[in-house]
Amino acid sequence: MHSRTELDVQARPASVTLSFVRSPLFLLAFSLGVLALLLSITIPQPIGPMFWDHYLYLDAANRIRDGQVPSVDFFTPGGALGYYLFTGLQGIFPNGQPLLLASWCLLLVTGPTIALVVFDIQKRSALLAYAILLPFLAFSVLPFNTGDFYPYPGSDGFGIYNRQVCQLLYVLAAALVHVRDRRILVLVVAAAMAALFFVKITGVVAGTVLCLMAFAAGRIALKSAVTAALLFFAVLGVVEFSVGAVSAYIDDILALLAVNDGSLLPRLLQAASLNAGLLIPAGLLTLVLFVTHLPPFARSLRQLGGRPSASALAQVFDQPSFWLAAFVLAGVLFESQNTGSQAFIFLLPLLLKIVADEVTGGAPKRRAITAAILAIAAALPPVTAVLQKSARAWIGAINNVPLESRNLKTMGAVNLRPILALRAERLRELYAAHRPTFDAFADAGELPSFLLYSDFDFQAGWLKNVDDAIDAMRAYEAANSVHFKTILNIDFTNPFPWLMDRRAPHHVAIGADPFRAVPPPNENVRAAVRAVDVALVPTCPVTNVNRMLLSLYLPSLEPGHSRVPLTKCYDAFIRNDLKAAASGS
């Protein structure tokens, strides 16, 4: 017969296990496990607007495995962290669909940090912890932007590092607003800010605004702020002294600023107008909070005037309207530099606290209801946008057809509507047969369509052109007994080295938009271009964008390379040394 003590000891492990299964941390661990299973197989994705943007990760990962260091050895449009995380995750899950790998790789950072946040919150309220965790999981798991850039449903393969910044800002905001354990707060702030720096520099600007607000309001003490800052700079110092990547990254940022010298005001207005559905209720809520909290704010000012101190100053700034205004400012600053993002999702942890404080803080019923309605109106647009876009894309994909390919590896795991697949094939023929027409578009400085790069048929046709070009290069190599070791694609993205297990040239930029992200070639770039074995030029269609890009590299190609037709949609600059070797063999 067992004693009560023995029964209690036996029941305790089962009780602990059951408690963990019911906890938010179990949901997080379970979700990450499911994502790992999904990455172990190749899940085709419906092709979407500007879908080729995520091919940059394939190019960068191939360069990293080849020993190149982002910013040090090649120019990047953003920080290196996402590329390294993608490279590591691709090594673990070689069959993972590249868009999903790129979208989920940041969970290697945000997963542990949100776990620390949830761990601290659930000690006080499991419900609040779930309320913080569930939106984070939705935005992290569903690889979609909050804005629309095309009327047809499809996967958002662009703006991935912008989405990653917003997810990091979400973790940072949740920590600054809700975490009480000083050690966890310092660790999460330092990790989030370091990750923001190495994903996109404008993200760390927005994060700084959030941290300054928290510091001014007394949510993060001076000692904690200094400790977090020291950890942040320690990470930067280690990276700089190891590979020199921080100074090289800053040089890249300065070069980008030189290329993008437009005024900031139009971009701020654009960011505000694109997110007006969210910003209008957020602005009204800020106004309501300021007016209704004016009496305690006035008392705080009087106390500061009569007895100046750090705590009195913190009470002045620790007003819900100030918090919300600072968070909105951070969001507008960040979104002014973006195309594609999960805009303002980091408002949700703050809005949750504002509503909870109003409802439980003894506020008049009418004021609490008004605040709750406005908060919900500000919180819903990003949630509904991502849920609606994911449902449209994935449910609509039931009737899609796979893109047939021979050489595209997991990059070819895409599908699209049958009518668009047929249109892509027809347009490829038209582009090749009527090249003078599209030369005329390029001469006029216009694309054949204002939304050319968003058109699903263009993205599908581009993949088919790449597939054909690989067949043609292999046939050329076999016929001429040569081997192209380094391949340059004079286009926005260069997946050829990864697809063919070759090398990309050093120093040449990835994400090659000559209007926004390609500085004038320096001697290192010119030397690298001169040394490439083959440089590819897409011609279906000829565009003013690719013409401008070619004009940057042509002076380095012409002396030592000869241009030959490769396929109906690609020309190739082949190094003369290789041609001479082929003719002499």
Side-chain angles (χ1 to χ4, degrees):
M1 187 173 181
H2 296 289
S3 67
R4 182 178 299 274
T5 302
E6 291 174 330
L7 291 173
D8 288 344
V9 170
Q10 292 174 2
R12 193 172 299 134
S15 175
V16 171
T17 301
L18 182 61
S19 177
F20 175 69
V21 169
R22 292 175 177 174
S23 74
L25 286 178
F26 175 79
L27 175 61
L28 175 61
F30 177 78
S31 300
L32 296 178
V34 170
L35 295 185
L37 290 175
L38 293 177
L39 288 177
S40 65
I41 57 177
T42 305
I43 304 176
Q45 294 299 298
I47 210 162
M50 293 175 275
F51 197 69
W52 60 356
D53 198 39
H54 78 278
Y55 303 158
L56 304 187
Y57 288 86
L58 295 169
D59 186 9
N62 189 68
R63 292 171 185 244
I64 289 170
R65 281 190 289 268
D66 197 36
Q68 296 190 41
V69 177
S71 295
V72 176
D73 294 312
F74 62 95
F75 186 91
T76 67
L81 179 61
Y83 304 130
Y84 276 106
L85 294 176
F86 177 91
T87 304
L89 208 61
Q90 191 182 42
I92 300 171
F93 302 105
N95 295 321
Q97 213 280 346
L99 173 58
L100 299 182
L101 284 170
S103 298
W104 295 343
C105 68
L106 191 74
L107 282 164
L108 295 171
V109 174
T110 55
T113 49
I114 197 68
L116 289 173
V117 173
V118 168
F119 174 76
D120 180 81
I121 296 173
Q122 72 177 11
K123 290 186 291 186
R124 301 186 302 276
S125 170
L127 181 62
L128 178 59
Y130 272 116
I132 294 295
L133 178 62
L134 288 173
F136 168 81
L137 286 176
F139 291 121
S140 299
V141 171
L142 300 177
F144 292 88
N145 300 318
T146 51
D148 288 314
F149 286 85
Y150 204 70
Y152 277 12
S155 299
D156 286 341
F158 67 100
I160 292 173
Y161 47 76
N162 294 329
R163 297 202 296 260
Q164 292 174 339
V165 166
C166 292
Q167 291 156 21
L168 283 166
L169 289 173
Y170 185 101
V171 175
L172 177 62
L176 292 173
V177 173
H178 293 282
V179 168
R180 295 182 182 176
D181 187 300
R182 186 184 68 84
R183 292 166 298 179
I184 290 178
L185 181 59
V186 167
L187 187 58
V188 172
V189 168
M193 289 296 286
L196 284 167
F197 182 87
F198 287 111
V199 173
K200 192 174 183 181
I201 196 66
T202 50
V204 85
V205 173
T208 300
V209 174
L210 303 189
C211 291
L212 288 175
M213 180 63 234
F215 177 72
R219 279 289 294 126
I220 182 166
L222 177 61
K223 183 178 179 181
S224 298
V226 171
T227 305
L230 289 175
L231 288 174
F232 169 79
F233 285 110
V235 172
L236 267 61
V238 169
V239 173
E240 174 63 18
F241 288 117
S242 300
V243 292
V246 175
S247 57
Y249 179 35
I250 292 173
D251 288 341
D252 283 356
I253 293 166
L254 295 175
L256 277 175
L257 290 174
V259 176
N260 296 270
D261 57 355
S263 173
L264 179 61
L265 181 59
R267 290 178 175 270
L268 293 173
L269 294 175
Q270 175 180 287
S273 63
L274 287 173
N275 297 282
L278 177 153
L279 291 177
I280 290 174
L284 290 174
L285 179 58
T286 303
L287 181 61
V288 168
L289 292 171
F290 180 76
V291 172
T292 55
H293 287 77
L294 199 55
F297 175 63
R299 286 196 298 271
S300 299
L301 283 177
R302 287 195 295 270
Q303 291 174 0
L304 179 64
R307 189 184 54 192
S309 65
S311 60
L313 184 63
Q315 288 180 2
V316 171
F317 283 101
D318 191 17
Q319 304 295 325
S321 58
F322 289 3
W323 278 92
L324 188 52
F327 276 44
V328 167
L329 173 63
V332 171
L333 286 173
F334 178 65
E335 294 304 325
S336 68
Q337 306 299 313
N338 292 343
T339 301
S341 179
Q342 290 179 339
F344 294 94
I345 63 171
F346 57 89
L347 290 183
L348 270 64
L350 176 60
L351 292 171
L352 188 64
K353 185 176 189 307
I354 288 172
V355 172
D357 288 348
E358 290 294 307
V359 171
T360 63
K365 185 176 181 180
R366 182 177 298 178
R367 189 179 93 187
I369 292 174
T370 300
I373 291 174
L374 290 174
I376 292 171
L380 278 180
V383 176
T384 55
V386 169
L387 291 177
Q388 180 190 36
K389 291 179 73 175
S390 60
R392 287 188 69 203
W394 289 336
I395 294 174
I398 293 174
N399 296 319
N400 285 6
V401 295
L403 183 84
E404 300 296 333
S405 64
R406 301 167 300 280
N407 307 298
L408 300 183
K409 298 183 179 179
T410 54
M411 193 177 89
V414 296
N415 53 55
L416 70 164
R417 296 186 181 188
I419 191 173
L420 293 176
L422 177 61
R423 175 177 167 82
E425 286 301 316
R426 287 173 173 171
L427 287 181
R428 289 176 70 214
E429 297 296 330
L430 290 171
Y431 291 147
H434 301 277
R435 182 165 169 177
T437 299
F438 300 99
D439 282 334
F441 276 102
D443 291 340
E446 295 289 348
L447 293 172
S449 163
F450 190 74
L451 295 177
L452 178 70
Y453 300 129
S454 293
D455 288 333
F456 295 5
D457 50 77
F458 172 84
Q459 294 294 331
W462 191 89
L463 285 170
K464 298 290 285 186
N465 293 340
V466 169
D467 200 23
D468 291 347
I470 292 174
D471 281 337
M473 279 192 285
R474 286 177 173 156
Y476 185 96
E477 288 177 323
N480 295 278
S481 300
V482 297
H483 182 74
F484 299 133
K485 293 181 180 178
T486 54
I487 305 174
L488 169 64
N489 187 33
I490 302 177
D491 202 352
F492 176 69
T493 184
N494 181 21
F496 288 99
W498 176 72
L499 293 171
M500 298 183 70
D501 299 315
R502 312 295 172 87
R503 293 182 173 181
H506 283 59
H507 306 297
V508 177
I510 65 172
D513 181 348
F515 293 101
R516 297 175 57 244
V518 182
N522 57 26
E523 182 51 39
N524 287 333
V525 174
R526 291 192 290 268
V529 173
R530 284 195 296 268
V532 297
D533 290 338
V534 61
L536 303 173
V537 181
T539 59
C540 287
V542 174
T543 66
N544 61 317
V545 179
N546 285 346
R547 273 195 182 176
M548 180 176 290
L549 195 58
L550 179 58
S551 70
L552 296 176
Y553 301 134
L554 192 58
S556 302
L557 288 170
E558 280 185 327
H561 295 74
S562 297
R563 183 169 183 167
V564 299
L566 185 67
T567 69
K568 64 184 179 182
C569 289
Y570 266 101
D571 289 350
F573 283 89
I574 299 175
R575 189 158 55 85
N576 292 334
D577 293 348
L578 288 175
K579 294 187 69 178
S583 62
S585 61

